[in-house]
Amino acid sequence: MRFQAAEPMSDLLPPTLQFEGTEEGYDNVRYTRCNNNPSQTAVAAHLAALEGTEAALPVASGMAAISSTLLALLEPGAHILIVRGPYGGTHDLVASLLKKWGVTSSAVSPEDGPEQWEALLQPGKTRLFYAEAISNPLCEVYDLAGIAKFAREHKLLSVIDATFASPVNLQPAKLGFDITLHSATKYLNGHSDLIAGVVLGGQELIETIRVTANVLGPAIDPHSCFLLSRGLRTLGLRVEQQNRNALALAQFLSEAGPKVAAVHYPGLKSSKHHKRAAELFTNGGCGGVFSFELAGGVDAAEAFLKRLQLPLVAPSLGGVESLVTRPATTSHAGLTAKERAAAGISDGLIRVAVGVEATGDLLDDFSQALAAVPGAA
Ligand SMILES: *Cc1c(COP(=O)(O)O)cnc(C)c1O
């Protein structure tokens, strides 16, 4: 697998381009909202090569990728299957906007298989199965190969948000997914300095989604294309270090004694998602996000976060710097405490999104922060 640009960063041009007087038709007139600016097509080619798909449509955010895809592929009356507790923006899109346009959904759990999925199908209405590579923040792994196969057998479109895995750890097209989505804001760019997203898949489906995106208008700015091309050049190096850092910290915490109540990371052999992750993820790399609970609950979590020196307290993930949050106060603050409990997200849960710092430095930092948390060692 190649992580380098196929070509030097050529063709990176501003949004308005002078017409050269060639005989091309109107469709070939370059206008940046229509996703045919050379900076957009250069980064699209790079992304498609990384992901192993025919085509790619880079857009202005991960949510632009998700909303353009679902609005392009669904129509009023359609029904979809979707993983339980998806990314917050996706949940809101499905539960409010798509619902308003007459699209309904049924949620599936990681334990479900073809029998449960089949029972949820609405003949003539179910169009699409929407999966995520790794769930947030409990890092659950679904039977992704099974979902792609089931979708094919039942003539559903299979769509996966593979942001958490990145193309380094997972190649959904190889599993048979029709569409792969990423928030390029995260690993693909990796420097926390732009907002972008990408839709990847076969030429025909990408064209359908491009037509919708062109009228919705979430085109990616050419300067962001330049930054994203820069970020992609170190994707492999960054994600491999993030895989290492997350595994080392998760292992440290899982062996740290009674102060730590639970650690959620599919890279841990003790995780109930480990077997699936080892089968699905390239080199078993499970990404840079894990979560854990301290026995002392919210107070212990706050004490721990106050003591940590290296990670910033911030949402997002996939950048070069480590970030920590309490999902109850950030990504899942919109749920009631009862809804969070039902989803398995305790108020003291800490989510860590590691960066590319030296593994030893992060281990030292987590170790000193844990030592400062009250309780028996
Ligand atoms: C961040 C994120 C998104 C949304 O991406 P934006 O670039 O913020 O719009 C979608 N899915 C997942 C899994 C994410 O982490």
Side-chain angles (χ1 to χ4, degrees):
M1 180 168 183
R2 297 178 60 186
F3 302 125
Q4 293 297 320
E7 293 172 38
M9 281 196 266
S10 56
D11 280 348
L12 295 162
L13 299 169
T16 299
L17 303 167
Q18 189 177 357
F19 181 52
E20 286 182 329
T22 52
E23 294 297 306
E24 294 170 346
Y26 178 76
D27 285 350
N28 293 320
V29 171
R30 285 181 166 163
Y31 185 66
T32 295
R33 199 200 62 249
C34 295
N35 284 293
N36 55 13
N37 179 288
S39 302
Q40 294 166 333
T41 50
V43 82
H46 192 167
L47 288 161
L50 265 175
E51 198 75 50
T53 57
E54 269 176 19
L57 176 67
V59 286
S61 69
M63 279 313 302
I66 296 165
S67 56
S68 300
T69 297
L70 294 181
L71 287 167
L73 301 181
L74 299 171
E75 64 288 312
H79 168 255
I80 68 170
L81 301 184
I82 183 165
V83 290
R84 175 187 74 186
Y87 177 74
T90 307
H91 172 268
D92 293 348
L93 172 70
V94 171
S96 59
L97 185 71
L98 287 180
K99 195 167 166 213
K100 187 168 108 182
W101 289 97
V103 174
T104 56
S105 64
S106 303
V108 302
S109 301
E111 305 77 37
D112 295 346
E115 210 174 296
Q116 290 78 20
W117 302 335
E118 188 135 23
L120 295 170
L121 290 178
Q122 298 181 10
K125 291 181 76 179
T126 310
R127 289 272 181 282
L128 183 148
F129 203 141
Y130 188 97
E132 289 185 350
I134 302 172
S135 81
N136 179 42
L138 295 178
C139 302
E140 297 158 321
V141 182
Y142 284 71
D143 175 10
L144 300 176
I147 288 175
K149 180 163 174 271
F150 178 86
R152 185 127 313 181
E153 286 168 0
H154 292 80
K155 299 198 166 35
L156 312 178
L157 288 163
S158 51
V159 176
I160 182 168
D161 177 341
T163 301
F164 270 51
S166 92
V168 178
N169 293 337
L170 184 72
Q171 295 87 47
K174 281 196 195 143
L175 295 178
F177 276 91
D178 296 310
I179 293 287
T180 302
L181 305 165
H182 286 278
S183 167
T185 312
K186 317 290 171 52
Y187 293 104
L188 291 177
N189 178 56
H191 294 71
S192 310
D193 55 6
L194 65 78
I195 300 282
V198 62
V199 187
L200 301 124
Q203 192 76 46
E204 219 170 294
L205 273 177
I206 294 297
E207 273 317 305
T208 303
I209 297 163
R210 184 196 311 276
V211 168
T212 296
N214 286 358
V215 293
L216 291 174
I220 183 169
D221 179 79
H223 187 64
S224 290
C225 294
F226 165 76
L227 286 174
L228 179 54
S229 287
R230 176 278 326 258
L232 284 175
R233 284 157 186 257
T234 53
L235 177 69
L237 288 171
R238 287 185 283 103
V239 174
E240 282 168 13
Q241 179 66 6
Q242 284 164 316
N243 285 338
R244 263 196 296 278
N245 280 345
L247 182 60
L249 288 176
Q251 231 147 22
F252 162 73
L253 289 166
S254 68
E255 291 159 8
K259 282 186 187 178
V260 180
V263 184
H264 310 283
Y265 187 61
L268 291 176
K269 291 210 172 70
S270 56
S271 161
K272 64 178 174 196
H273 300 284
H274 182 72
K275 188 168 169 285
R276 242 177 220 170
E279 285 165 8
L280 285 167
F281 300 143
T282 321
N283 308 316
C286 293
V289 175
F290 70 91
S291 60
F292 69 101
E293 286 155 66
L294 293 173
V298 175
D299 291 346
E302 283 301 323
F304 182 86
L305 293 184
K306 217 173 252 154
R307 240 352 233 260
L308 271 185
Q309 305 258 305
L310 282 179
L312 308 173
V313 177
S316 199
L317 63 121
V320 292
E321 65 287 295
S322 292
L323 307 175
V324 287
T325 59
R326 275 207 300 121
T329 63
T330 53
S331 54
H332 293 72
L335 306 185
T336 63
K338 208 169 146 215
E339 286 170 330
R340 276 196 298 274
I345 298 163
S346 69
D347 283 359
L349 185 77
I350 295 172
R351 191 194 80 166
V352 182
V354 297
V356 301
E357 300 90 343
T359 311
D361 289 352
L362 284 173
L363 282 169
D364 286 350
D365 194 25
F366 275 63
S367 173
Q368 66 80 23
L370 190 64
V373 170

